[in-house]
Amino acid sequence: EALERGDHNQLPAEVKDWREMREDYTGRKFYFNPARPDRPRFAEPIIEPRTMAELVEIREDAFVQRLQALLGFNPKAIIVAQQSWRPDPDFVDLSEHISIEGLTVPVAMVGYEAGVELRRLCEVHQSAAVIVSIAQGNGPFFWGNGSQGQLGLENLENHDVLLRRENEITGETFKFAMDPRYLAHLHEMQVNSIACGAGHSLASTEDGEVFSWGNTVAVGGLLPAAKQHLGQPEKIDQLEGLVAGKRVFAGANNSFVLGDMPYQSILGPVDQ
C-alpha cells in the first residue's frame, strides 16, 4: 500500500535508508544501509515508490519472442528468472538473440532462488519492495579437456555442451569443449580470480566465497568417497567464517586460497 501511494516514509528501512560514504584508503564512494550492513553497494540507489510490476510466465520455446515484445513497451526494467535450479547457458546469454548495443531497458538475470521468492510474493498478492542493482560482472569461460569435470560445464538445463571422443588405443571416452563456453553455474557470482590444476579448477568471488570443481582428490570439501569428480562448481563451506577468499591458486592436485582473516591478528594492533 505504501508503494502504491508513493509514500516514501512508509518504505522499509532496507529500501530507503542508504547513506553515502567513502572508503578509508581509496576514497571511493559507496552507499551503506544500517539495515543491510553486510551488503554495501557502489551504484547510487534510485527509489521510485510508484513503480508497479507484473509477473509473466513464458514457455521456454517462446522466451526470446515474448521478451522482445515486452521490451517494446519500454518498461523501467525486466527481471528474468529461470524456473529450473540448473542453469541454462542460452538463458544467460541473450547476445545471440537481442542487440545488446541498442538495448535501452535493463534486463536483469537473477538466480533461481530470487525468482522463487518473487513468484511467491506475487502469488500471495503481497506488496513487495524490490531492490535491483545492476553491476558490471566478470563472465568466466572454459574450454579444453573436461574429462574430470574441470570445466564445470556439467548438469546444465536442456544442454550438454561437452563433446565426446573415444581414445583409439585405450578405448576410454574423454570429454572436451572445442570453443569457449560460459560457466553458467557461476552466473551472478562476480568472479575475480580463477586457477586451474591438472584436473580441477577454483574460483573466488568479490564476496569472498571460494568454489571448486573437477577431480575430487584436489577439490576439497565433503564429497562422497565413491564420487570421482565434481562436474559443476560447489562452494567450499569449510571456509565460511574462517577466511574471505581474495585469490585462488592451484597445483597439480592442490588448492590454495589467499584471503582476509575476519579476526584481529594475535600479534595485536599494528602500532604495537
Side-chain angles (χ1 to χ4, degrees), residues 173-246:
T173 300
F174 63 95
K175 297 180 289 187
F176 63 97
M178 287 287 293
D179 304 312
R181 295 289 185 174
Y182 179 58
L183 188 52
H185 286 286
L186 292 182
H187 182 61
E188 293 188 305
M189 295 300 179
Q190 296 292 304
V191 174
N192 60 9
S193 175
I194 289 175
C196 300
H200 76 293
S201 303
L202 304 164
S204 61
T205 71
E206 293 289 349
D207 289 337
E209 296 177 326
V210 178
F211 293 81
S212 64
W213 60 98
N215 192 320
T216 54
V217 174
V219 298
L222 301 176
L223 299 173
K227 200 165 188 176
Q228 297 181 350
H229 75 265
L230 189 61
Q232 74 282 335
E234 293 283 351
K235 187 171 71 171
I236 303 179
D237 293 326
Q238 289 87 341
L239 295 175
E240 195 79 26
L242 175 64
V243 63
K246 293 299 181 182

Side-chain angles (χ1 to χ4, degrees), residues 67-68 70-75 78 94-107:
L67 178 60
Q68 291 173 331
L70 290 173
L71 289 171
F73 289 100
N74 196 31
I78 295 177
L94 295 176
S95 59
E96 296 183 4
H97 311 286
I98 296 176
S99 173
I100 302 299
E101 292 77 11
L103 194 62
T104 59
V105 176
V107 180

